[in-house]
Each structure stands twice: as C-alpha cells, then as structure tokens.
Amino acid sequence: MSTAADWRGVAAESQDDFTDRVTLLLRDRSRRLLTSLLRPHRRILAVVLAVVLVENAARLAIPYLVKEGIDRGIPPMQAGEGSSVLTTITVVVLMTVAVQAVARQAFLTMSGQVGQRVLLELRRRLFRHFQRLSPAFHDRYTSGRMISRMTSDIEAIDEMLDTGFDGLINAALTLVGTAVLLLVLDVPLGLVALGSFPLLLWLSAWFRRESAVAYRRTRETVAAVIVHFVETMTGIRAVQAFRRETRNEEIFGQVNDDYRLANMRAFRLIGLFMPGIKLIGNVTIAITLIYGAYRTLDGAVTIGALAAFLIYLRQFFEPMQDISQFYNTFQSAGAALEKLSGVLEEEPDVPEPSRPVPLTEPHGTVHFDDVRFEYVEHRPVLQALDLDVPAGQTLAVVGATGAGKTTIAKLMARFYDPSGGRVLLDGIDLRDLSETDLRAAVVMVTQENFVFAGTVADNIRFGRPAASDAEVVAAAEAIGADAFIADLPEGYQTRIESRGGRLSAGQRQLVAFARAFLADPAVLILDEATSSLDVPSERLVQRALRTILASRTAIIIAHRLSTVEIADRVLVLEDGTVVEDGAPAALIASEGGRYAGLHAAWVESLA
Amino acid sequence: MPPTTVTHPHPAATDPSRRRAGTSLWRLRGYLAPYVWALVVMAVSAVGTVAAALSIPLVVRAIIDGPITSGDRAAIWPLGLLALLLGAVEAGLILLRRWVQASAVLGLETTLRGDLYAKLDSLPMAFHARWQSGQLLSRVTIDLSTIRRFSGFGLLFLVINIIQLFATVAVLLNLYWPLGLVVAIAAVPIIWLSRSFEHGYVVVSRRVQDQQGDVASQVEEAALGMRVIRAFGRRDLAYDKYDRQASQLFDSSVAKVRLSARFWTFLEIIPNVALAIVLLLGAIAVGNGSLSLGTLVAFITLMLSLVWPVASLGVILSMAQEAMTAADRVVEVLDTKSTIVGGDRVLDQPRGRLRFEGVGFAFPDADRPLLRDVDLDVAPGETVAVVGATGSGKTTLTALVPRLYDVTTGRVTIDGVDVRELTIASLRQLVATAFEEPTLFSMSARENVTLGRPDAPEADIREALEVAQASFVHDLPWGLDTRIGEQGMSLSGGQRQRLALARAVLAQPRILVLDDTLSALDVHTEALVEVALRAVLRDATGIVVAHRASTVLLADKVALLEGGTITAVGRHSDLLATVPAYRELLSADADLAGAAA
Ligand SMILES: Nc1ncnc2c1ncn2[C@@H]1O[C@H](COP(=O)(O)OP(=O)(O)O)[C@@H](O)[C@H]1O
Ligand SMILES: Nc1ncnc2c1ncn2[C@@H]1O[C@H](COP(=O)(O)OP(=O)(O)O)[C@@H](O)[C@H]1O
Ligand SMILES: [Mg+2]
Ligand SMILES: [Mg+2]
C-alpha cells in the first residue's frame, strides 16, 4: 500500500521543472523574452507612453488647480471683486478633465490592444516551439505540463494585462509626479513628506524579492494540478472501471492543497505589504499635517497649499492600496514569464539543420550505419545496428515485445537521434534533412494512433491536406474503411471528438491507415498498425498494401505473420540485435531457425 | 448564445442572457459557509477601515479651522496625534482583514476545485465523450481563480467602495448640503452607466471564457497528438488550427478591452467633473460667507477620496461580471446529472452468473441502436468469447457490464440482479476489464497495477504480473516503483498491454473482461499469457473479445456479434463448421490463404 506521497514513482530526472536556481539569470531570461515581444510595438508603445504621461499630468493637475481655486479664486470673492478668476480656474479644471478623459480612453484601448497582441504572439511562439521540441523532451515534460504552460501561465499574463498594467503604470507615474509637485509646493514640507519614500522603496523591494519565490511556487503547483487533471480526464474509462475515484480525489486533494498553500504564502506576503504601505502613508500624512500646521502658522505656506499637500499625499497612498493588489497579478505574471522563457530557451535536442541538404526526389534507400541507441543512460536498446534497405523493398521486423522494433521505426522517422552511428535516407544523414523534406519522404503509422476532433474526412485528409474529397474517399475505399464510414450518421462529414470518442479501436486504425495511404511517402513505416482489426478487414488492408508497397520502401512491424508474409525480407530482432535476416520463404525453410519457429507457432495458433 | 465557434459546440452552454445574472454565483455561496466568521471579521474591519479613512480629513478640518485659524500651537499636537492613531488603526485593520481573507477565499477555491474534480470523476463516459477536456480544464483553473478573485478582493471592495461612497456622501451632505446634493446627483449617471455596461460585458466575457476553453482544447489535442503530428509532418496544419482559435480569442479580448476602456474612463471622469462644480459653487459659498474655508477644504479632500473608489468600481464590476459567467460555467458542470447512479444492493456471495436479457443500446446522438435484442447467458466460471467485425459493438457490449454505459432497453444481470440495482462500487468490484487501449498513468508501475486493488499484497502483485507475462517491470530501473511515462509512453506497446492485463487480473474480479488484450503481443508471449490466463479464467466468469482463433480458444463458448445482435452461440469448432459468417471472420484457412496468396 503506498502513501499519498509516493504514487508518482521514481523517474530518471526528478527535476520538476527547469531548475535554474539563479534568480538573476531567470530575471534576465524573462527580460530578454519581454524585450523581444515588445520590440515590434515600440512605435505604439512610445505613443502609449506619451498618452499616459498626458493623462497623469492631467490627473495630477486637478488638485493643484483646486489649490489655485482656493488660494486665488476665493480671496477676490471675499473681497467682493467678482468671480472671474474662479470661473477661469473652473473652466481650466473642466478642460483638464476632458483631456484626461480622451487620454485615458486612448491609453486603455491602445495598451490593451498591444497587450493582447503580445499575448497572441506569445501563444504562437510557444506553440511553435513546443512543436519543434523532440518527442524525448515531451516524454519528459508530459503533455499536462505543456498544457499548463500554454493555458495557466499565459492566463496569468493576460490577467496582468487586463488589470495590473494600467494600475501599475499609473502608480509609478503618480509616484514620480507627486514627488516633484510636493517639492514645488514647498521644499521643506516636501522633504518631510518625501522622507517616507525610501521606506516605501525598501518595502517594495522586500516584497518583490519574497513574492518572486512565492509566485514561482504557485506556477509549479498549479502545473501539478493541471497535469493530474488532464491525466484523469484522459484515462477516465480506467479511472471509473477500477474505482479509482477515491484515491484520485486523495491525490488531487494533495496537489490542490499544495497549490492552496503556495497561494496562501503569496497572499500572506501581500497581506503584510499592503498594510505596510498604508501605515507608512498615514504616518506621513500625520507628520506632514503637524509640521504643515506649524509652517502655516509661521506664514511659510498657505492654507490652500497645505490642503493640496494633504490631497496629494492621499492621492498617492490611496491607489497604492489597490495597486499592491495588482502588483500581485504582476508578480504572478512575472513568475509565469520566467517559466515560459525557460521553455522557449530549451534547445530542441533533435534539431533541424541550419543548412539542410535538399531532397527533391526521394527514392527510399534506407541505411542504418552502426546505430546505437538508449532511452535511459547505460541501458542500450539497440547495439551497433547495421541495416541496408534498398529502395522499394518491403522489410518486416519481427521479435518479442520490447525487442526494439518500435525503436528502429522511431529512429527512422527521426523521433530520436541515435546515440551513436547514423541513419541515412538516400545516402543523406537524417540530421541533414529539413523537416519538410523528411516528413514528405517518411511517414509512420504508430501503435498509438490519435484521432483529432473534426470530421472523419478531415482526419483522413491529415495525411495530405491538399487532397480532394474524391481522393479522401478513394483512400478509404482502398483500405476498406469506406463501409463503416458510409454507415456513420453523416458519412465522411461525421464529427469525431478528439481522442476518437465515437470510433472503435479498429476503426481508428483504419482511419490512421487511410491517412498514411493518402500521404503517399517514399518510405512507409507501419508499427503494428493492424493489430485491432478483424481478419477480413486486415486482409483488405493487406491487399491494399500489396499495391501501394510495390513502388516504395516499407518497414512493417507486426505480430501476425500474415502481414509479414507480404514482405520481401524479414528481420528477426532479439534484445536489440538482428539475429536473422532473409526472405520469408528462405527463413521458414531453414531448419531450427527462429523465424521458422515463430512461423510454426503462429500456424499452430490459427488452428 | 454569442457566436463562439461553429466547429466546437459547448454542449451544455446555455444562453447566458436567459440565466439571471449572478444566480450561479449566488448558488456557490454555500462554499463560504465554513468561513462565516472570517467574513464577519472581514466586514467589520472593512467598515472600521472606512470609518478611520473618513475621520482623517475631519481631523484636518479641525486643525485648519482650530489651531491654524486661532494660532494656538499647543492644540496642533493632540489633533496631529489623533490623525496618527487613526492612521495606525486603519493599517492594522487592513492587516487583519487580508490575513483572514487569504485563508477564506483560498479555502473556497480549493474546495470548489476538489468538488468539481470529484464531480467530473463521477460523470459517465457519455458525458466525457461529449465534452472537450480543454473546456473542463479551463473551468477548473481559469474560472475558479476568477471566482476566487472576485469573492475575495472584488466582492469586498465592491462593498467597501459602496459603503464608502454612501458614507462619504452622507458626511458631505452633513457638511454642507447644497454641495452634497451636487455629489449625490453625480452618482446617477454612474449607476445608469454601470447597468448598461453590464449588459454588453456579460456577452463578451462569456465569449472570451468559452474561447479560452477552445484554445485549451487545441493545446491539449496538439499535446496528446504530438507524435502523430510529427510522424506526418503536419505541424503547420496543427498550428493553423490553433492559430484560428487563438486569433478568435484575440478578437474577443480586444472587444472586451474596448468596452471596458470606455466604461473605466467614464467612471474616472464623472467624479472629476463633480469636483469642478463643487469648487465653483463652494468658492462662491465661501465668498458670500455661508461656508468656512476649512469646511471647503475638508469637503474637497473628502471628494477627492471618492475618485479612486468610483474609478476602481470599473475594474471591480468587470470582475464581478466575469465571476458571474465563470460561475455559470462551473455550475453547468456541477449541475450535470449523472445518468449513471448506483442502486443500493450488494451481492454477498457473488457467483458471477452474467446475463444479457434483450439488451439494446444506442449512443445518445445515434439515429439507430448499435445493439438490439442481445441475449447471452454466461454461467459462473464459464468464459465466453465475443467475436465480431471491427466496429460491430464488442467493446460497447462489454462496457455495459460495469455500467460505463447503461443499456437503453433490456437489462444486464449478475446472479439475477439487474446491475442497475447494485451499488456502483460493488458492481465495479465484481467486474474488471483489461481495455483494448491500455490507459496507463504517469505514476509508479505499482500504482498502475494496483489501480483496482490498492491494498493488494506483494505476493498477489507478483502473481498477477506473472500471469500477464509482465515481469519485465522488475527489470525497470527502480523496479515496481519506476514511474511509467505518460500513457505508458516509455514502454513498448506489448509491455503496456501486459501491464493493463496484470491490473485486471490483480483486481480478482468475479467477472473478468478482456477486450482484445493480446493484440500487441508476439506469438510466443501470447501463448504463455494464454496458458496462465486459463487458470485465472477457471475461477472467474470471463468475456474475451477476440480476433484470433488462438484467443477464442480460451473460451468455453463463442458468441458471434453481427448486425448489432448475437446471431450464433456455440463451440468454436461447431460455429466454424456451421456458420459461414463466423468462418469468414475467423477461419484459419482464410488467414493462411490470405498469407500465402
Ligand atoms: N520512451 C522510452 N523511455 C525509456 N525506455 C523506453 C522508451 N520507449 C521504449 N523503451 C524501452 O525500450 C525497449 C524497446 O522498446 P520498443 O522498441 O518499443 O519495443 P518493441 O520491439 O516492442 O516495439 C523496451 O524495453 C522499452 O521498455
Ligand atoms: N461515443 C460514441 N458515440 C457514437 N458512436 C460511437 C461511440 N463510440 C463508439 N461508437 C460507434 O459504435 C460502434 C461500435 O464500437 P465498438 O463497440 O468500439 O466496436 P468494436 O466491436 O470494434 O469494439 C462503432 O461503429 C462506433 O463508430
Ligand atoms: Mg513496439
Ligand atoms: Mg473494440
């Protein structure tokens, strides 16, 4: 019985994320990303900056104008000299408000649009980058974490753009503007009031430092929540059939609670930061009030100036309150950006060549040259594999499960690069081929055939997006998938949900097969692609194979030897080494051979 | 419903405008019940904060009208210290509120997420087939944090700001009512505007949230289908699909930005306009002596303190709208009735007699039933093989036993009891299935194998692994504790199947279902597994879905599934001899002939 803690088991790298502990490096990395994202918008950003300056100037001018109104507008009226000064000032106030309105709306709209554009660009870049990263990376990283990066982390940034951005910019500008204005109003009083600024800065720096750690943790814990959630929903059938619900809730409860605690820590930090700011503000106001009263009595400042002073201080500290709330979305976004920049700087370990060798007319000659491969260090799966497949040959690979057949297929499709040696197509190292050329030449149908949300026709057309409806139907007919598709409620236009909800396993294999048929590559790899089919369907597929394989190289992996026997050549694999290699008929004939043994066992199993 | 995406329907998304705004959010209030005291503390300290904040300008007035006007220096200090004290109290109350608030709202979010997860865990397969899991994911993450943010920060400040607004206006009316009236009148356009804003915003924010779900679905699909996309070199296609969704989301987000930009601006402007008017009228009043200068200063100070609460109402009301639509989305899931509810019977001494009696089944959106009039009787300890063409409904038939789906007509009984009368837990303990797709999780191999029986002793685990020829797990780097890659990706296909088989065997069910479980095994391994399985199947009732004669031979009898019903039941050799359709499906001659041709 395992405890709630050890359900995940041990893996080779217990790295739970990119563990660059150097904060500075992280900040540097996110700054680089941010700069590259913002650079295309620098013109608009300059305008935004100008607009926001105008807006804040207008905002800050209003209390000043009020002071002028009190100091200069009222005395003439008390003296019975009319209200012309006051009227002028009021008109100026109204004009300032109008300017502020225009500027604010412009700022919000423009900055919002730029923000969304940046976000879109970030989404695109991330998606592209995840696509470039190798299957080995994805094995390690898991789809749940990838999903969490592309949803939750992006969301954190979106939220900042929604609310925090505006607040924070205004806070910063108010800070500077207020400092200047206070000094203009009265230098000694201004200095007293500004005495609190170092304290404020120190408090902010403390909060920034502490909360960066806290928010990084929230990003990591929310990823764990998402990973577990996605896996449960993907495997819901097994979860329910095996009454896994209780245990799952226990595990989910744990990751959920980790996330709660991480958030709690972050919230507590704001819980200290905000009242701290408030306290500093209030103490400053009180001191200014006392000192200001003395200075007023001394005649050094006017009552209006004192009032303006207090108003400014208030105006400064008041939004600081709620802004520190936005500061938290800002910090959260910062942590998200760190994670994203980490992913974006991850180099693909199956890199595309910078100067690819062109492959215009692939013939399909395959050559494995002293290929060695290991998934986990010091656990070789293939050892010194040498293999020549002339163009047009159909090669069958057989062997016990776990022998390394799929590994050969994956190396051929360049899911992985060999740990030693080379894999060549038409004499060119796969590492020198562009992704487009390689994929046009080599197509693999895997054991895990995945069906995408969309119509059946879309799914088949996945093999060749340019294919016409007629070609799609022809491909389905050729491999015998036509009958069941025609039977679906809307035929080829029937929608299937992602992961193939409404198709049976065999039907999914047929769709995957039709896809490959349509793709029409020079090298076709079939990895147990017919295992879920009934015998007549399989026979139809074989008939189709016989025609399509006549002109192309094929690597077929199968356990049912009926499929193997259409091959020109059979390779028997055992623990990663080739133990037999020859034409099927010759191998069957060879007394005591392994393939002969396999074949005999198979024939017996059919009885 | 707003025109979201044509291609991705949101199954249960009801028309948001028909749902009374906020009812869903209100329904979630129960989640705050454990935190009633926290809420009280929060409210009290919030009111205290407002009171303290309001008092400070009054102290300022007292200083200007008192010591400064009279020149009494000594009187400055007590008033100044009072201001200091009030300031400290305000800060202290904020500290208290925030700490209490943190645990309350996080508790709310965490409990709600746990419940949502449990609900999703219990909803039937039919639900999961219909819903895109990206949509579910975005509910569990984005929507919940939207609700959390509102119920903590948003709700409180909505209340505080409104209290502050009313309190301030009251104080202003009290200070000098003609000016106070001006301020009160300024509130009218604010209220009117907020209402009209609400209408537009509900629609846009729901659209944005739904599209976020769509984007999440695309991401998920690209993540899970990554290997196929790569194998066919179709990343541009996948990217375009994603990009379309992301661009739609972008458009809606920009629309949302536009809408709130206008609203937020108005909210900021109205108090300032009122301020200009107050200044003008106030100065005139001071001029003709009906108002003291100190009162005017206090008045204006107080009014300025209103600018921020009113302006921030914009953000808060947007937040409220989003929380309401998020709550709608969450409640949609919580409200989904599970169509598969357990009965209350438990079989004490189950023998494992399984009967299908006139069973019919149709998928919810199908135009005709997939299965009809299926009659099949399996005696305790007997094993039946189900044979049928691809897509004939074999997997569906087996899924009816543990009630992953429910029959539409007829009934399935175990020992004469309708499976719908049994508790779900006891039923699923009686039945274990090795699925055609292994469905492994990125957990330790042990956890994967003991899925149906977490307390299985070591010896049983070892035995089950042996039956399934899955002893290779002992050779993994950390043996049984090695983490199996996501969906078992670090294992070969056959290894995965054997692990899934071991899982079903370990559950020691009365009824064991093997759904084409040996398809990825090589002939040798298959033979070994079959020998071991024979022993297991002697004790249990078995259903074996098979394509190959060798597997069929595990069974005592064979049922041929054809055209949605069982057309023949009998021994393998008899069926071969008498039923042409069966011969067509399973004949060794045909297979050999096919191979030799
Ligand atoms: N992603 C992976 N990480 C670690 N080990 C792996 C991975 N994929 C396969 N293996 C191991 O490599 C060996 C060969 O696997 P594979 O090539 O899939 O065998 P098969 O011949 O059945 O296709 C197996 O022992 C398997 O456990
Ligand atoms: N969720 C679903 N909604 C509608 N039709 C479905 C769904 N799942 C499967 N089907 C259809 O039901 C039929 C039987 O599927 P299944 O039982 O998996 O067949 P098999 O006999 O190959 O195991 C198939 O034609 C498939 O298209
Ligand atoms: Mg394999
Ligand atoms: Mg099936």
Side-chain angles (χ1 to χ4, degrees):
Chain A
M1 170 85 224
S2 38
T3 66
D6 57 12
W7 54 277
R8 290 212 69 184
V10 195
E13 343 73 22
S14 32
Q15 58 151 162
D16 264 331
D17 223 331
F18 300 94
T19 47
D20 279 329
R21 277 283 156 259
V22 195
T23 332
L24 218 64
L25 204 79
L26 285 176
R27 200 170 299 156
D28 220 40
R29 203 171 65 184
S30 359
R31 190 169 308 134
R32 260 202 309 282
L33 173 60
L34 200 61
T35 320
S36 83
L37 284 170
L38 291 178
R39 186 164 303 133
H41 306 288
R42 24 178 214 285
R43 290 246 162 70
I44 297 210
L45 283 176
V47 178
V48 169
L49 193 67
V51 168
V52 80
L53 283 175
V54 170
E55 187 211 330
N56 275 280
R59 184 206 308 277
L60 288 173
I62 292 171
Y64 185 81
L65 291 171
V66 170
K67 169 207 161 243
E68 291 291 291
I70 294 174
D71 282 353
R72 297 211 207 154
I74 295 177
M77 290 181 64
Q78 281 171 325
E81 288 165 20
S83 60
S84 64
V85 183
L86 187 69
T87 322
T88 322
I89 290 174
T90 313
V91 169
V92 173
V93 170
L94 285 173
M95 271 160 38
T96 316
V97 170
V99 169
Q100 192 199 354
V102 173
R104 178 154 178 78
Q105 166 133 10
F107 166 72
L108 285 173
T109 317
M110 283 197 295
S111 68
Q113 273 175 355
V114 170
Q116 288 301 326
R117 239 172 248 293
V118 164
L119 208 62
L120 182 63
E121 168 65 18
L122 191 58
R123 281 188 207 272
R124 288 176 168 161
R125 258 197 227 182
L126 265 177
F127 193 89
R128 275 283 184 218
H129 194 75
F130 269 121
Q131 285 186 318
R132 263 196 295 274
L133 290 167
S134 68
F137 171 85
H138 285 277
D139 284 349
R140 200 162 15 100
Y141 204 67
T142 73
S143 58
R145 283 244 292 284
M146 165 174 166
I147 294 167
S148 120
R149 290 288 98 87
M150 295 201 54
T151 56
S152 175
D153 285 354
I154 294 261
E155 233 39 71
I157 297 176
D158 189 16
E159 196 196 316
M160 187 263 292
L161 292 172
D162 260 9
T163 50
F165 195 47
D166 169 46
L168 217 66
I169 287 207
N170 282 339
L173 289 177
T174 313
L175 189 84
V176 176
T178 314
V180 172
L181 275 170
L182 289 179
L183 288 174
V184 168
L185 279 172
D186 182 53
V187 177
L189 203 52
L191 284 179
V192 169
L194 291 186
S196 66
F197 276 32
L199 212 56
L200 274 180
L201 290 180
W202 173 82
L203 191 62
S204 304
W206 168 83
F207 177 70
R208 202 170 98 135
R209 208 172 44 244
E210 292 293 311
S211 64
V213 181
Y215 280 104
R216 208 169 295 147
R217 176 102 188 105
T218 64
R219 294 288 100 210
E220 279 155 18
T221 46
V222 75
V225 168
I226 292 178
V227 167
H228 186 73
F229 182 84
V230 168
E231 263 213 304
T232 308
M233 295 308 135
T234 315
I236 190 74
R237 185 183 276 265
V239 167
Q240 297 194 344
F242 287 94
R243 294 164 287 117
R244 174 76 179 173
E245 294 93 339
T246 324
R247 178 97 175 101
N248 256 348
E249 276 155 37
E250 192 184 323
I251 292 174
F252 189 76
Q254 185 194 325
V255 288
N256 199 7
D257 205 51
D258 283 347
Y259 180 43
R260 184 180 69 86
L261 290 176
N263 262 329
M264 186 74 101
R265 166 142 180 76
F267 280 29
R268 289 265 148 94
L269 284 173
I270 314 172
L272 280 175
F273 177 59
M274 277 185 52
I277 297 271
K278 190 77 194 177
L279 186 65
I280 296 174
N282 282 344
V283 169
T284 310
I285 289 180
I287 292 175
T288 313
L289 184 61
I290 296 169
Y291 183 59
Y294 275 99
R295 292 209 29 102
T296 317
L297 282 180
D298 293 343
V301 256
T302 60
I303 293 186
L306 181 61
F309 228 97
L310 296 171
I311 290 171
Y312 276 128
L313 276 178
R314 238 194 132 67
Q315 179 160 323
F316 175 65
F317 289 108
E318 193 73 33
M320 259 308 236
Q321 273 309 291
D322 306 60
I323 275 155
S324 50
Q325 174 73 30
F326 299 141
Y327 199 42
N328 109 58
T329 72
F330 196 74
Q331 285 292 65
S332 172
L337 204 62
E338 265 175 20
K339 294 280 164 205
L340 297 181
S341 65
V343 173
L344 285 172
E345 297 214 342
E346 184 82 354
E347 291 291 334
D349 50 359
V350 181
E352 287 166 47
S354 49
R355 258 185 286 145
V357 178
L359 179 76
T360 37
E361 286 253 328
H363 300 288
T365 319
V366 169
H367 185 61
F368 278 68
D369 178 17
D370 191 28
V371 168
R372 269 158 291 137
F373 187 75
E374 50 193 31
Y375 290 100
V376 183
E377 249 176 291
H378 309 306
R379 288 183 168 250
V381 175
L382 297 180
Q383 299 165 19
L385 179 75
D386 277 302
L387 182 64
D388 261 309
V389 189
Q393 189 175 64
T394 301
L395 172 76
V397 183
V398 300
T401 48
K405 306 180 295 293
T406 300
T407 307
I408 292 183
K410 285 185 173 166
L411 287 171
M412 186 61 233
R414 207 180 170 218
F415 272 34
Y416 301 91
D417 277 337
S419 327
R422 302 180 301 162
V423 182
L424 308 158
L425 175 67
D426 290 350
I428 309 170
D429 194 320
L430 293 187
R431 282 173 283 212
D432 293 331
L433 287 174
S434 75
E435 179 76 7
T436 321
D437 283 352
L438 174 66
R439 299 299 164 203
V442 181
V443 158
M444 171 163 76
V445 181
T446 56
Q447 274 160 298
E448 325 52 56
N449 42 64
F450 186 87
V451 177
F452 298 90
T455 64
V456 177
D458 288 344
N459 265 288
I460 297 178
R461 198 175 280 123
F462 188 81
R464 180 149 54 91
S468 68
D469 284 348
E471 286 171 309
V472 168
V473 175
E477 274 171 356
I479 55 108
D482 188 55
F484 96 79
I485 298 174
D487 237 25
L488 292 171
E490 285 159 71
Y492 283 83
Q493 298 310 316
T494 310
R495 272 192 59 82
I496 32 191
E497 295 312 323
S498 56
R499 289 178 276 119
R502 62 162 33 218
L503 296 184
S504 82
Q507 291 170 339
R508 234 169 303 160
Q509 283 194 336
L510 286 175
V511 168
F513 229 94
R515 233 183 234 167
F517 191 89
L518 196 61
D520 195 28
V523 180
L524 182 61
I525 307 166
L526 303 175
D527 186 3
E528 298 187 33
T530 54
S531 59
S532 297
L533 296 184
D534 60 87
V535 176
S537 307
E538 198 186 9
R539 218 172 294 136
L540 269 178
V541 170
Q542 274 161 26
R543 194 168 310 149
L545 276 181
R546 238 180 267 268
T547 24
I548 57 168
L549 296 188
S551 58
R552 73 194 74 241
T553 312
I555 299 178
I556 299 181
I557 299 168
H559 292 304
R560 283 195 238 173
L561 299 193
S562 51
T563 311
V564 169
E565 291 191 356
I566 63 169
D568 303 317
R569 173 183 170 194
V570 175
L571 212 64
V572 183
L573 205 65
E574 207 164 87
D575 288 338
T577 40
V578 177
V579 291
E580 271 177 45
D581 182 356
L587 289 184
I588 292 173
S590 79
E591 200 68 30
R594 297 187 206 235
Y595 185 69
L598 272 179
H599 191 266
W602 174 66
V603 170
E604 195 186 325
S605 81
L606 290 175
Chain B
M1 146 133 226
T4 50
T5 51
V6 187
T7 48
H8 290 262
H10 307 290
T14 42
D15 182 355
S17 56
R18 269 206 326 245
R19 213 183 259 271
R20 268 233 339 273
T23 34
S24 306
L25 193 60
W26 179 239
R27 275 210 17 220
L28 298 180
R29 71 188 179 281
Y31 284 90
L32 279 174
Y35 307 104
V36 170
W37 281 112
L39 289 179
V40 170
V41 171
M42 277 157 66
V44 168
S45 57
V47 171
T49 311
V50 173
L54 279 177
S55 320
I56 297 176
L58 297 179
V59 176
V60 174
R61 176 179 77 153
I63 290 188
I64 294 180
D65 284 351
I68 293 185
T69 320
S70 65
D72 177 11
R73 280 168 197 258
I76 293 178
W77 278 99
L79 286 169
L81 287 177
L82 181 63
L84 194 69
L85 182 71
L86 285 170
V89 167
E90 190 188 359
L93 286 173
I94 292 177
L95 180 77
L96 177 66
R97 192 196 74 224
R98 298 227 46 132
W99 279 62
V100 172
Q101 180 181 335
S103 51
V105 295
L106 286 174
L108 161 91
E109 185 194 11
T110 307
T111 320
L112 197 51
R113 183 177 291 118
D115 285 1
L116 206 51
Y117 177 82
K119 177 79 192 184
L120 286 171
D121 245 8
S122 74
L123 282 171
M125 289 303 298
F127 172 88
H128 288 278
R130 211 152 36 88
W131 277 71
Q132 296 192 324
S133 53
Q135 282 291 349
L136 301 179
L137 177 67
S138 73
R139 281 162 168 81
V140 168
T141 53
I142 304 174
D143 289 345
L144 286 190
S145 53
T146 305
I147 293 173
R148 179 245 293 155
R149 217 174 309 129
F150 174 69
S151 55
F153 174 74
L155 187 61
L156 197 71
F157 273 88
L158 189 63
V159 175
I160 294 183
N161 285 3
I162 288 175
I163 292 178
Q164 188 169 355
L165 232 76
F166 277 105
T168 313
V169 171
V171 173
L172 290 180
L173 279 169
N174 202 23
L175 272 180
Y176 187 59
W177 70 263
L179 287 186
L181 211 58
V182 172
V183 177
I185 289 170
V188 175
I190 293 180
I191 293 168
W192 173 76
L193 215 85
S194 307
R195 290 201 57 83
S196 77
F197 166 75
E198 185 184 318
H199 275 310
Y201 203 77
V202 155
V203 178
V204 185
S205 71
R206 173 74 201 218
R207 188 160 69 221
V208 167
Q209 284 161 352
D210 283 345
Q211 286 173 350
Q212 277 170 341
D214 288 336
V215 169
S217 299
Q218 284 307 323
V219 168
E220 185 175 11
E221 188 170 274
L224 296 173
M226 189 271 301
R227 288 168 187 82
V228 176
I229 293 173
R230 183 169 282 253
F232 281 83
R234 286 290 165 259
R235 59 186 191 196
D236 290 341
L237 192 72
Y239 176 79
D240 290 344
K241 220 167 149 188
Y242 168 77
D243 194 44
R244 250 195 318 276
Q245 300 287 357
S247 302
Q248 281 181 2
L249 175 58
F250 169 79
D251 291 339
S252 313
S253 302
V254 168
K256 192 170 107 175
V257 162
R258 287 235 166 81
L259 200 60
S260 36
R262 229 174 315 149
F263 182 55
W264 295 4
T265 305
F266 269 113
L267 285 186
E268 178 123 4
I269 292 321
I270 291 171
N272 279 336
V273 172
L275 182 65
I277 297 171
V278 165
L279 174 65
L280 185 67
L281 298 182
I284 293 172
V286 173
N288 61 33
S290 49
L291 188 66
S292 80
L293 194 55
T295 311
L296 182 60
V297 170
F299 200 100
I300 289 177
T301 316
L302 276 169
M303 257 202 90
L304 278 172
S305 76
L306 275 184
V307 173
W308 178 255
V310 173
S312 63
L313 265 185
V315 185
I316 292 166
L317 285 178
S318 313
M319 216 183 251
Q321 290 307 330
E322 273 163 32
M324 284 178 202
T325 41
D328 283 346
R329 285 163 48 90
V330 167
V331 165
E332 263 166 30
V333 173
L334 286 178
D335 273 357
T336 308
K337 288 259 176 330
S338 184
T339 45
I340 295 191
V341 205
D344 48 12
R345 288 187 64 173
V346 176
L347 293 179
D348 292 333
Q349 296 256 293
R351 297 172 56 244
R353 181 196 189 93
L354 176 67
R355 276 180 69 124
F356 291 82
E357 299 172 15
V359 165
F361 177 78
F363 280 105
D365 56 347
D367 43 7
R368 64 197 131 98
L370 173 65
L371 299 173
R372 56 188 170 82
D373 305 324
V374 172
D375 287 300
L376 185 63
D377 191 347
V378 196
E382 195 182 27
T383 297
V384 64
V386 177
V387 171
T390 299
S392 56
K394 306 181 294 294
T395 299
T396 312
L397 185 70
T398 62
L400 297 177
V401 184
R403 293 188 71 199
L404 291 175
Y405 288 100
D406 259 347
V407 296
T408 17
T409 53
R411 57 185 206 144
V412 178
T413 62
I414 295 176
D415 294 345
V417 179
D418 191 323
V419 288
R420 283 170 294 191
E421 287 172 23
L422 297 172
T423 65
I424 295 279
S426 73
L427 170 66
R428 290 183 180 162
Q429 192 163 14
L430 285 175
V431 188
T433 311
F435 296 108
E436 49 191 348
E437 268 125 30
T439 323
L440 299 178
F441 300 94
S442 65
M443 311 181 292
S444 64
R446 179 192 309 278
E447 192 84 18
N448 267 296
V449 173
T450 58
L451 204 62
R453 215 176 124 208
D455 52 354
E458 209 61 27
D460 286 11
I461 297 179
R462 194 167 277 275
E463 197 185 308
L465 288 173
E466 234 142 70
V467 168
Q469 296 294 310
S471 303
F472 67 89
V473 290
H474 298 301
D475 301 331
L476 292 174
W478 291 274
L480 268 168
D481 292 321
T482 311
R483 188 188 308 167
I484 301 301
E486 189 184 9
Q487 293 169 53
M489 278 307 171
S490 56
L491 298 176
S492 87
Q495 290 173 333
R496 257 176 278 163
Q497 260 193 347
R498 283 180 281 165
L499 215 53
L501 178 59
R503 171 198 289 168
V505 169
L506 181 67
Q508 293 185 336
R510 281 311 317 146
I511 300 173
L512 179 63
V513 181
L514 305 179
D515 186 2
D516 202 12
T517 325
L518 310 178
S519 65
L521 301 190
D522 58 285
V523 184
H524 271 314
T525 315
E526 189 191 353
L528 291 173
V529 172
E530 276 162 9
V531 170
L533 269 182
R534 241 173 253 282
V536 174
L537 285 173
R538 231 190 329 266
D539 304 328
T541 307
I543 304 184
V544 178
V545 173
H547 292 304
R548 296 192 239 178
S550 53
T551 321
V552 168
L553 289 177
L554 274 175
D556 304 302
K557 65 179 182 190
V558 188
L560 175 64
L561 189 62
E562 210 185 358
T565 193
I566 289 178
T567 51
V569 182
R571 292 165 51 84
H572 175 61
S573 48
D574 296 346
L575 292 186
L576 266 188
T578 57
V579 183
Y582 186 73
R583 201 175 319 132
E584 166 75 9
L585 269 177
L586 229 75
S587 155
D589 299 343
D591 204 2
L592 275 178

